[in-house]
Amino acid sequence: MSEAERKQPYDVLVIGGGINGCGIARDAAGRGYSVLLAEMEDLASGTSSAATKLVHGGLRYLEHYEFRLVHESLAEREVLWASAPHIIWPLRFVLPHHQGLRPAWLLRLGLLAYDTLGGRRLLPPTRTLDLRTDPAGEPLKPGYHTGFEYSDCWVDDARMVALCARDAAARGANIRTRTKVVAAQREGGLWTVDLEDAADGRQQVQARLLVNAAGPWVDRVINEAVGQIENRNVRLVKGSHIVVRRLFQHDRCYIFQNADNRIVFAIPYENDFTLIGTTDEDYAGEPGEARISADETAYLCAAVSEYLRQPVSEGDVVWSYSGVRPLYDDGASAAQEATRDYVIRAEGETGEPMLVNIFGGKLTTFRRLSEEVVDRIGARLGEKGKRWTRRAQLPGGDFAPTAFEVEVAGLCASYPALDPALLRRLCRQYGTDARRLLGAAREHADLGEDFGAGLYAAELDYLVENEWARRAEDVLWRRTKLGLRVDADAAERIDAYLATRL
Ligand code: FAD
């Protein structure tokens, strides 16, 4: 139904198609509210594709006494893993003990708390490593004797956003990408909201309640779209990552402590690469234009080179990305010390339509945040359904968390003529929906035009029809990370193909 044909106001209009907006839209649609989500660019084009991609308690946050956040986050690890075992999986972290930095007893104490604070059932516990004999010691400089190994999870951040949007749409939500909310005003007990997109220009819709999940743009929406003159609520903190060719052969990740009290991760990435990050820098520019600086690259290279036998230099960097954390401004002096917890602020007197602003938050806590927001929606609009996402799966995630290899083997058995490496990638990205994508294909030729690196027209068609992909960059950097493997020429051909499909 077009907006012009629609006579009824939406119950909820969500601004922002990052993890928080899509999580809220999914939860609300699942409880029976009518939902419109407007995202001004592509899904996950903001902070939600620029994270370190960990579903984690945040060992470091214990030092800032953020026990509530750590407890909630630790408990979410296995809940999220079970909901999407294709895009979320356990990762073991190796923390080499550095004589000059935090003492070993403190690290052991932190990890003991980490092991016991959250409900851990499937994830293995912490153990102590002898880095002189353990393979994790091999890539390190000589002199590291003791290390600690603990569990957290890895997540494909941008895919988690797309899957939440898909689930929301399957439950009735209207997801509109490349649609900006330019104005919103209270009129006759409803919100009248002006949307702008390239195809239809400006249109008006009505909603009973507005959720501002615009991430680093949250204050801008309050000030410019809603027209309230507000104090600044969020502190924008840029974080950058670099990607280099694979630095070590095992599948564990390193957490390196730095002399400046920060930590830097070196994580196995997309099979052939290592992801290194992150930085923390106050940021005043346009969030969509954040880029890594030469100083950040140098800092990250130096941080890992302090530990690794094989130093990393600027010339090794094959890709980098930067994102802006929208942290709730709690007045902390150092960027790294500002709280990572979320704050939900609802405003609007009884009888007035409500505005719910979301500040801060992590990928890890999006589901809990969404539950809280939709509870508040229920308190204002009338409760429709109970909380339901704790035991629900995201699209393609309907298999046991420990059964990923079984899924891959099953897919390979069903499509014996297709490259097993391609099938493994598709299984990682689409889970059980890989079968929908492949359909009746038997050979590679059945998948249509070949764009290189295992990307065929069949996958583009699937992404257009199911995941709002519109441009090559949506496909190459968010729905997949094949941008690491194809060249600019392929990107142009993908754009040309997508234009014929839209
Ligand atoms: P966003 O993803 O930015 O979404 C907001 C969206 O709103 C954007 O897509 C934007 O285009 C849209 N928008 C803005 N204005 C409008 C408008 N007027 N109309 C329509 N749409 C609009 N968390 C973890 O749990 N684990 C990690 O390992 C981790 N690492 C991180 C590392 C870095 C460097 C950073 C920056 C963050 C990290 N985080 C991590 C935090 C996490 O990524 C963010 O908290 C989360 O992605 C924020 O999501 P969001 O939906 O609030 O914001």
Side-chain angles (χ1 to χ4, degrees):
M1 192 193 304
S2 72
E3 300 306 348
E5 289 158 348
R6 191 185 160 91
K7 296 279 181 293
Q8 295 288 322
Y10 288 95
D11 289 328
V12 182
L13 192 151
V14 181
I15 306 173
I19 192 58
N20 287 330
C22 290
I24 293 163
R26 170 191 183 225
D27 191 323
R31 292 200 216 182
Y33 299 102
S34 61
V35 177
L36 170 71
L37 180 143
E39 162 53 51
M40 67 180 174
E41 293 292 334
D42 181 31
L43 295 173
S45 56
T47 310
S48 298
S49 57
T52 311
K53 308 173 202 306
L54 305 178
V55 174
H56 64 158
L59 193 53
R60 206 171 55 75
Y61 309 148
L62 285 175
E63 288 183 328
H64 300 289
Y65 310 111
E66 299 218 43
F67 295 114
R68 194 207 70 79
L69 174 65
V70 176
H71 175 260
E72 180 174 315
S73 303
L74 287 170
E76 275 306 275
R77 294 176 305 180
E78 293 199 18
V79 174
L80 294 182
W81 175 23
S83 74
H86 47 331
I87 58 159
I88 300 173
W89 61 89
L91 192 59
R92 294 290 280 171
F93 289 71
V94 175
L95 194 167
H97 175 235
H98 190 304
Q99 295 295 350
L101 302 176
R102 295 169 184 87
W105 66 264
L106 183 67
L107 296 173
R108 261 196 221 101
L109 191 69
L111 287 167
L112 179 71
Y114 210 72
D115 261 358
T116 46
L117 264 180
R120 190 179 48 77
R121 290 184 311 118
L122 294 175
L123 292 171
T126 300
R127 63 183 186 123
T128 304
L129 300 180
D130 182 344
L131 293 172
R132 290 166 299 189
T133 51
D134 192 284
E138 259 165 49
L140 300 179
K141 282 181 180 165
Y144 289 103
H145 294 173
T146 307
F148 302 99
E149 188 186 290
Y150 68 93
S151 294
D152 265 325
C153 289
W154 167 262
V155 58
D156 184 330
D157 49 4
R159 288 214 54 73
M160 185 157 76
V161 176
L163 295 184
C164 281
R166 269 196 61 195
D167 203 21
R171 295 169 195 277
N174 182 0
I175 306 291
R176 295 198 40 186
T177 61
R178 299 192 156 92
T179 303
K180 183 172 181 180
V181 170
V182 287
Q185 50 200 355
R186 292 182 166 101
E187 269 178 5
L190 293 172
W191 282 103
T192 297
V193 181
D194 287 26
L195 305 175
E196 202 167 74
D197 72 24
D200 302 320
R202 211 158 164 144
Q203 312 135 60
Q204 276 194 337
V205 291
Q206 289 191 308
R208 299 169 68 199
L209 191 146
L210 197 60
V211 176
N212 176 7
W217 292 265
V218 65
D219 280 343
R220 198 170 294 183
V221 166
I222 295 173
N223 297 331
E224 293 172 17
V226 181
Q228 292 174 1
I229 305 304
E230 268 263 350
N231 291 324
R232 198 172 58 104
N233 299 291
V234 285
R235 175 168 185 173
L236 300 183
V237 176
K238 181 171 71 150
S240 299
H241 291 81
I242 54 174
V243 174
V244 299
R245 293 257 154 223
R246 189 172 178 153
L247 292 174
F248 44 88
Q249 293 313 309
H250 60 77
D251 59 2
R252 287 172 280 175
C253 150
Y254 291 101
I255 165 169
F256 295 138
Q257 306 175 73
N258 264 6
D260 62 1
N261 217 24
R262 295 191 66 262
I263 48 158
V264 168
F265 294 100
I267 311 173
Y269 188 56
E270 297 287 320
N271 298 322
D272 304 320
F273 302 92
T274 301
L275 175 66
I276 299 169
T278 178
T279 54
D280 275 288
E281 248 183 31
D282 278 311
Y283 184 74
E286 160 62 37
E289 286 167 13
R291 300 286 177 273
I292 194 166
S293 65
D295 283 353
E296 285 177 289
T297 304
Y299 172 87
L300 292 173
C301 291
V304 290
S305 300
E306 170 76 20
Y307 282 83
L308 298 178
R309 279 175 203 267
Q310 182 77 42
V312 174
S313 66
E314 225 170 277
D316 299 322
V317 176
V318 295
W319 184 50
S320 67
Y321 61 84
S322 302
V324 178
R325 303 174 183 88
L327 304 182
Y328 188 66
D329 198 351
D330 59 357
S333 52
Q336 74 192 78
E337 281 164 14
T339 181
R340 263 55 175 171
D341 212 346
Y342 56 79
V343 172
I344 301 167
R345 225 167 58 197
E347 37 188 81
E349 305 295 319
T350 317
E352 242 189 0
M354 197 157 91
L355 169 66
V356 182
N357 293 308
I358 315 293
F359 306 109
K362 310 266 305 161
L363 295 167
T364 308
T365 48
F366 89 92
R367 194 195 63 80
R368 293 292 304 270
L369 177 149
S370 303
E371 279 185 333
E372 257 186 65
V373 170
V374 183
D375 285 352
R376 293 201 190 194
I377 292 173
R380 177 54 71 101
L381 300 186
E383 192 181 293
K384 287 206 171 176
K386 299 266 178 237
R387 293 182 170 198
W388 62 277
T389 55
R390 187 176 176 79
R391 291 200 169 68
Q393 269 132 358
L394 285 166
D398 48 339
F399 58 94
T402 50
F404 178 72
E405 291 304 329
V406 178
E407 274 307 303
V408 176
L411 197 63
C412 290
S414 302
Y415 294 92
L418 298 185
D419 177 7
L422 168 66
L423 295 175
R424 174 172 286 276
R425 175 178 73 77
L426 295 180
C427 209
R428 265 284 169 239
Q429 279 165 211
Y430 307 103
T432 53
D433 281 336
R435 289 173 188 275
R436 280 183 56 204
L437 187 158
L438 292 167
R442 288 286 154 252
E443 307 174 345
H444 287 105
D446 299 331
L447 298 173
E449 188 174 345
D450 179 356
F451 296 92
L455 181 64
Y456 291 88
E459 188 169 353
L460 296 182
D461 294 345
Y462 176 89
L463 289 174
V464 168
E465 281 158 29
N466 298 286
E467 295 193 6
W468 299 271
R470 296 290 176 267
R471 296 186 191 152
E473 63 179 274
D474 307 351
V475 173
L476 295 177
W477 294 112
R478 289 182 285 273
R479 304 309 180 278
T480 77
K481 286 289 182 287
L482 291 173
L484 286 167
R485 300 174 195 277
V486 301
D487 56 18
D489 176 52
E492 266 180 40
R493 286 201 295 131
I494 293 165
D495 265 330
Y497 180 85
L498 290 175
T500 67
R501 304 290 302 159
L502 296 171

